[in-house]
Amino acid sequence: MQRRNFIKALLAASALLLVPIRSLAASWNASAFQAIKLQEALAALQISNLSSSSDIQVTGPDKAENGAVVQIEVTSQIPKTESISIFVENNPTALIANFVFSEATLPSIVTRIKMAETSDVLAIIKAGNHYFSSKKRIEVLENGCG
Amino acid sequence: MGVVKMADNIRMRAQLKGEITEVKLLMTHPMETGRRKNDSGDVIPANFIQTVTAMLNGKVLLQAEWGTGISKNPYLTFRMRGAKVGDVVRIDWTDNQGKTGVGEISVTLG
């Protein structure tokens, strides 16, 4: 009886374990992420007709002591913002990340990035068929890209 | 290709503040670029999270693609409307070596 209860408990516990949903994995744009130069990464993402906008805020430290961990925030006030892409022009590969938002999710993220050297951090947002950008210069005192 | 248990790799919090729920994530992952060398001069293979999906009660909130420029032990904050206390936020990630991670947390009052 005890053994049966134990097995029951074990089965109940295993049912609670989370199993990854493999089909969820979003596609990963290899050519964009492997591009060394910013222009190549933009081309791989089919970003063109870029206009700068003061309705996007890129915030972070003016000076980063350690380039391995630089916390930044990107927020867009542009209506119908669909995605935010983050680039560091002077990194070994320029594209850092691409975030695609559903309607309920606010177009704003905080994350931590690596910076090899002093560079602009460029944020590009997509709204409809338009691309808008904003950037912030961050001075890096110690290479964080290894 | 193993499944990493949530407790090992994602620390999560989802707090409702007014109409907005703020989700904070801290994942455990080396995020190796493939450019670093170990003490014997061998290149440490690239090992980094490539895709992240966040869902609320099974509906996609956010999809992210990451490169090697996201810091070790990735950190992410995002915010959403329309969530209620008790709703479940789920995170799935996949890295370049095919490993996956998953975590779930219920929305609490902030």
Side-chain angles (χ1 to χ4, degrees), chain A residues 17-22 24-29 33 67-71 73 75 91-93 95-102 104-106 108-114 145-146, chain B residues 1 3 5-6 20 26 31 33 35-36 48 50-51 53 55 60-72 75-81 90 92 94 98 100 102-104:
Chain A
L17 286 179
L18 286 169
V19 177
I21 304 174
R22 230 161 237 290
L24 271 180
S27 61
W28 190 74
N29 190 329
F33 279 103
V69 185
V70 183
Q71 183 160 316
E73 175 163 6
T75 298
N91 265 15
T93 51
L95 176 59
I96 302 286
N98 184 38
F99 297 89
V100 179
F101 302 92
S102 75
T105 308
L106 307 187
S108 172
I109 56 105
V110 181
T111 191
R112 295 172 185 156
I113 65 173
K114 298 175 197 167
C145 281
Chain B
M1 299 292 279
V3 176
K5 270 181 266 152
M6 64 184 277
I20 305 291
L26 189 61
M31 298 301 284
T33 61
R35 286 185 297 272
R36 280 181 353 119
F48 62 98
Q50 288 186 318
T51 60
T53 302
M55 291 189 300
V60 173
L61 291 168
L62 176 73
Q63 284 189 303
E65 294 172 77
W66 288 354
T68 54
I70 293 288
S71 300
K72 178 181 174 177
Y75 174 82
L76 179 66
T77 300
F78 66 92
R79 299 173 197 87
M80 62 189 161
R81 292 181 196 283
R90 176 188 169 116
D92 279 82
T94 304
T100 55
V102 55
E104 278 187 350

Side-chain angles (χ1 to χ4, degrees), chain A residues 57-68:
Chain A
Q57 285 81 46
V58 182
T59 51
D62 294 330
K63 284 184 187 181
E65 196 76 39
N66 175 7

